Amino acid sequence: MLSDADKAYYRALQALRDKDYRAAAGFLKYAENQFADMPELGILRGSTELLLSVKDEIYELENETIEIEEILINGQETEFRG
Amino acid sequence: MSRLKTLRKLESILENFLTRVVETEQGRMTTLKSVDLLDEIARDSLKGRIVSNRLGDWFANNRNMVETKKFDLSSLESIGNMLSEIRPGLDPGDPVSRKLSDQIDSWREKGVIPRRKLILKMKPKVSDDNLLARFTDYLGREAKLLESGEYEGRHLLQILDDILKSAAAKEDRMFLHLAGAMIYYLKMYGYKVSPFARRLKEIEKEKSGDCRAE
């Protein structure tokens, strides 16, 4: 049978291909613990997790912008909630 | 550059990097996909489900890859083991299943996939050699194995992985001893060895279970 570590690595690659980075990070973390002889998995996991953080940060910044715009459209800039 | 622009740029760089990694690993992905699919078929077969159609499709898609040995040895071993598990579950009364069984047998005969080893065991004779002589015999055989050229250019961790596979598959306890010695050596030099130590413990446990069953 295919080992759990191989399965995790395969699922991680599939998730990366499908741009499902959250799932990929989980599979990579599991695979990294199993494959002690593949330090490159650490780089891959680190990059995926960094990308997730960047995406979260972008999401927060974009939502912040939308909120400020709504206040200006009303024409009553009584308080700044950004 | 605004914070948002910087983050967008970093996002794009990271996405490109990960896309390229996936492209580089395309070959490995294809192999893993085939083995994973056969793994699912084998699991269903062990549950008593009819798998002949899916197995037929698997053969159609992978025949060339296996026959031209495009898969690495470890994948071929996995495929061989899984086909050995599927083979007894195929219905001899069904022509499609018979054809698939013949295909599996033919691959085994031609050595396309490794044969499943049948190991007959007997209790070892009680030896009257002295302990030191047996220990130095292990050391000598281990050195000979490592210097045979088989492992030339490979990292010690990769060699350890192979030795552990041999320890699991073979009866010779020298492989257990060699794996233990390598793990201790790597630990001394700060390598992360806990997954290997776990594997060694599992193999030892299985082996001692085998001995008790005899």
Side-chain angles (χ1 to χ4, degrees):
Chain A
M1 298 289 174
L2 199 60
S3 74
D4 287 346
D6 276 328
K7 258 186 197 293
Y9 184 54
Y10 172 53
R11 302 265 184 267
L13 289 175
Q14 272 185 320
L16 285 176
R17 187 198 55 200
D18 300 340
K19 302 199 182 298
D20 183 354
Y21 298 111
R22 213 162 290 280
F27 287 127
L28 285 168
K29 195 171 181 181
Y30 181 81
E32 188 190 359
N33 287 332
Q34 303 295 314
F35 288 116
D37 56 340
M38 284 179 71
E40 60 271 30
L41 279 179
I43 299 170
L44 209 51
R45 183 183 55 79
S47 307
T48 309
E49 285 176 356
L50 179 61
L51 178 60
L52 283 171
S53 304
V54 168
K55 281 183 178 294
D56 287 346
E57 188 79 19
I58 289 172
Y59 179 80
E60 274 180 30
L61 280 175
E62 282 181 340
N63 280 353
E64 202 173 50
T65 309
I66 289 166
E67 196 173 353
I68 293 164
E69 280 172 358
E70 280 175 353
I71 294 166
L72 290 174
I73 287 165
N74 286 336
Q76 291 174 331
E77 198 180 357
T78 52
E79 58 176 307
F80 178 73
R81 288 188 283 137
Chain B
M1 196 184 284
S2 76
R3 185 177 165 79
L4 189 60
K5 272 188 183 168
T6 310
L7 286 167
R8 281 268 182 231
K9 193 170 180 186
L10 181 58
E11 181 189 34
S12 163
I13 289 168
L14 287 166
E15 280 191 341
N16 284 340
F17 168 69
L18 293 171
T19 304
R20 286 193 183 183
V21 169
V22 174
E23 281 168 8
T24 312
E25 288 289 83
Q26 201 59 51
R28 177 99 182 112
M29 265 184 91
T30 309
T31 303
L32 287 172
K33 187 180 173 188
S34 297
V35 180
D36 189 44
L37 184 57
L38 191 61
D39 185 35
E40 278 177 28
I41 296 172
R43 283 172 200 272
D44 283 348
S45 167
L46 290 174
K47 287 177 195 162
R49 294 185 183 143
I50 296 167
V51 295
S52 51
N53 284 344
R54 284 158 66 205
L55 186 61
D57 289 345
W58 187 90
F59 268 108
N61 292 325
N62 294 282
R63 182 175 286 116
N64 282 342
M65 293 277 284
V66 173
E67 288 179 357
T68 54
K69 306 236 171 179
K70 291 267 166 62
F71 290 118
D72 57 282
L73 189 62
S74 128
S75 300
L76 282 174
E77 274 175 13
S78 299
I79 289 169
N81 287 336
M82 286 186 266
L83 290 176
S84 298
E85 274 158 8
I86 295 169
R87 170 78 173 76
L90 292 171
D91 177 11
D94 169 42
V96 176
S97 297
R98 256 203 322 271
K99 204 175 160 190
L100 292 168
S101 300
D102 291 346
Q103 174 74 70
I104 295 171
D105 294 343
S106 144
W107 275 6
R108 279 218 206 100
E109 289 302 316
K110 289 181 193 162
V112 175
I113 50 167
R115 285 165 188 266
R116 206 169 203 200
K117 287 171 194 152
L118 177 65
I119 301 167
L120 299 173
K121 297 174 189 171
M122 61 182 285
K123 281 187 180 174
K125 287 180 192 165
V126 179
S127 169
D128 55 0
D129 289 346
N130 75 50
L131 201 58
L132 178 62
R134 275 183 281 152
F135 180 62
T136 51
D137 173 57
Y138 265 25
L139 294 179
R141 286 168 56 215
E142 286 164 7
K144 208 171 161 185
L145 175 73
L146 294 173
E147 287 165 2
S148 65
E150 189 182 340
Y151 302 114
E152 204 173 323
R154 294 176 68 189
H155 192 279
L156 198 54
L157 284 164
Q158 291 174 310
I159 301 171
L160 173 57
D161 182 53
D162 267 15
I163 298 292
L164 281 167
K165 282 177 190 160
S166 299
K170 296 179 183 179
E171 284 306 292
D172 191 344
R173 295 181 67 81
M174 178 201 78
F175 291 100
L176 288 171
H177 176 260
L178 179 55
M182 290 169 82
I183 289 170
Y184 186 69
Y185 182 80
L186 287 162
K187 187 181 163 64
M188 278 167 60
Y189 285 90
Y191 283 86
K192 186 181 169 188
V193 292
S194 46
F196 293 107
R198 261 200 307 278
R199 274 173 66 189
L200 178 61
K201 273 185 194 166
E202 279 167 18
I203 295 165
E204 276 188 310
K205 206 172 155 188
E206 273 176 33
K207 297 273 172 192
S208 59
D210 286 352
C211 289
R212 273 195 294 275
E214 279 166 15

